[in-house]
Amino acid sequence: MEVTFNKTKIIATVGPASNNHEMLTALVKEGVDVFRLNFSHGKHEDHAKVVSYVRQINQELGTTVCLMQDLQGPKIRLGDVENGQVEIHAGDKIKLVCDNSVSTATRLSTVYTELARDVNPGDAILIDDGKIELRVISTDKDKEVEVVVIYGGPVKPRKGINLPDTAVSAPSLTEKDKEDLHFGLDNNVEWVALSFVRRAEDIVDIKRIIAERGKNTMVVAKIEKPEAIKNIDEIIAATDAIMVARGDLGVEIKAEDVPMLQKMIIGKCNKAGKPVIVATQMMESMITNARPTRAETNDVANAVIDGADAVMLSAETAAGAYPLETIRSMSRTIASVESHGEVFNKISFPNNNSGSFFSKMVIAHACTLARDTDAKAIVCMTRSGYTAFNTAKHRPKASIFAFTDSPKLLNQLNMVWGVRALLYEQEDSSTDNMLTEFRTILTKQGFLETGDVVVNITSMPVTDRTSANTIKLSRQ
């Protein structure tokens, strides 16, 4: 029986509802490609158990599920609240203080010590995903801000604060993030997501730490600040992947602007050959319900049509009542969309002045050949992932199989659209022998059948794996 798989990948966040071996195994069988470890919650020992479970599951099932560590970033929050909740009302003039004391109805406190220095009169301060809005009247630029309440309501402990009009001075990589990052690198996570990215330098900083550790962990830049939108081209160029993190982004900017920004970012990432993730509230109702709303199903479908490499679930799989049903529903939606032709063959040819022009041209023509011959598979050998990433950007209908001798890359590629990676460590094969072996392996695993057309992307001589320079058309 021929084995098929969805091209668009599914990322599931691990939490109390899913952090055991049995549930993680079931989620993989339902279609999870990447597990997200949310370092805004949980202790290192809890995350270490999940890492161990996922590695075991890959061994047991022969899968290549990868891990994405999501760093908390400079999340600005309230402190504790008197009696667990206080009420504030529109028109009230109150103080916002930077001393992490207990909040009252007239004096809210924040754990962020630089807030009074960062804000200016007229700036908006949003609390609890924008449910509460304050406006700055004045600030002493030290510890105290006077604000007027625009929209009031109940104020609860530790709720997040967003500053959409303010240039926040806190670095994207906090001291907590650095400790968490070293833990992730020690445990060889394949991807690390940096929260509240504002500029390309934020990516350069975290990549420098990764390089100093001698690791090749890839970086996801989370787009959730207005500054990131302004600097999006530079951020895409600097990072390995992008996440459209619609939760905070939809608070920091107008919610009605998010859909078109999502499309814009996906388009830019597709053109650059950088994986792009769409995240937040994709199937939010399934935290408590066994079926998604029609709007949620449409949201997932539109992300796939737009060209997302992966769609991500948060509380749905971390704390929801129906994690398996959520993955099943998302997987079915992806499969339904991908049964139509709109998502495939978005082939674009490189400019003469683009980097690695010849390799990019070879890969683009290979995808054109796969389209015109109705090939079942595009097969490549990769050591860095370059050929696989650049093949995926053209969204071929043919499945992409990337053979690699890197165990880390084997899992890393599991987040890239349409790619299935396989380990191949033999060094002494000729090009023809190697390509024949690849087709034999894929046939044995059920990905190819007799008579299937295969487009091979390789380098000649075979020992030169620095660039793709050869296309070979085969029939199995």
Side-chain angles (χ1 to χ4, degrees), residues 6 9-37 50 53-54 57-58 61 63 65-66 286 313-331 414 420:
N6 290 340
K9 305 301 179 72
I10 296 176
I11 303 174
T13 302
V14 180
S18 53
N19 62 0
N20 59 77
H21 186 278
E22 183 180 11
M23 179 57 76
L24 291 169
T25 301
L27 290 170
V28 172
K29 289 180 177 178
E30 288 295 342
V32 170
D33 301 284
V34 183
F35 282 116
R36 169 180 175 250
L37 306 177
V50 174
Y53 291 149
V54 174
I57 291 164
N58 280 338
L61 301 182
T63 49
V65 173
C66 66
M286 292 194 75
L313 297 161
S314 298
E316 298 97 329
T317 53
Y322 301 98
L324 288 177
E325 289 83 356
T326 304
I327 298 298
R328 201 172 295 141
S329 180
M330 180 171 269
S331 184
N414 221 45
R420 283 290 180 269

Side-chain angles (χ1 to χ4, degrees), residues 22 53 66 102 107 124 135 150 168 205 264 299 315 332 387 392 417 469:
E22 183 180 11
Y53 291 149
C66 66
V102 176
R107 188 176 180 278
R135 187 75 59 178
I150 306 300
V168 177
D205 289 343
M264 178 270 288
D299 187 32
R332 284 200 303 260
T387 303
W417 187 97
N469 59 23

Side-chain angles (χ1 to χ4, degrees), residues 58 67 107 141 149-150 187 215 238 320 326 335 399 413 440-441:
N58 280 338
L67 292 164
R107 188 176 180 278
K141 292 296 179 181
V149 179
I150 306 300
N187 284 274
K215 301 290 186 176
T326 304
S399 298
L413 289 172
T440 300
I441 291 168

Side-chain angles (χ1 to χ4, degrees), residues 227-291:
E227 298 100 308
I229 300 298
K230 294 176 185 175
N231 300 316
I232 192 65
D233 291 329
E234 294 83 0
I235 292 170
I236 290 172
T239 194
D240 300 303
I242 291 284
M243 182 191 296
V244 186
R246 303 180 303 180
D248 280 288
L249 183 62
V251 178
E252 295 271 349
I253 66 172
K254 295 177 182 177
E256 59 267 28
D257 290 342
V258 172
M260 294 312 295
L261 284 172
Q262 173 178 311
K263 289 178 183 292
M264 178 270 288
I265 294 168
I266 290 174
K268 286 179 177 288
C269 289
N270 288 170
K271 187 175 180 180
K274 300 289 179 82
V276 55
I277 304 160
V278 175
T280 317
Q281 296 181 330
M282 300 221 76
M283 290 192 157
E284 185 91 349
S285 71
M286 292 194 75
I287 295 172
T288 54
N289 298 305
R291 293 172 64 86

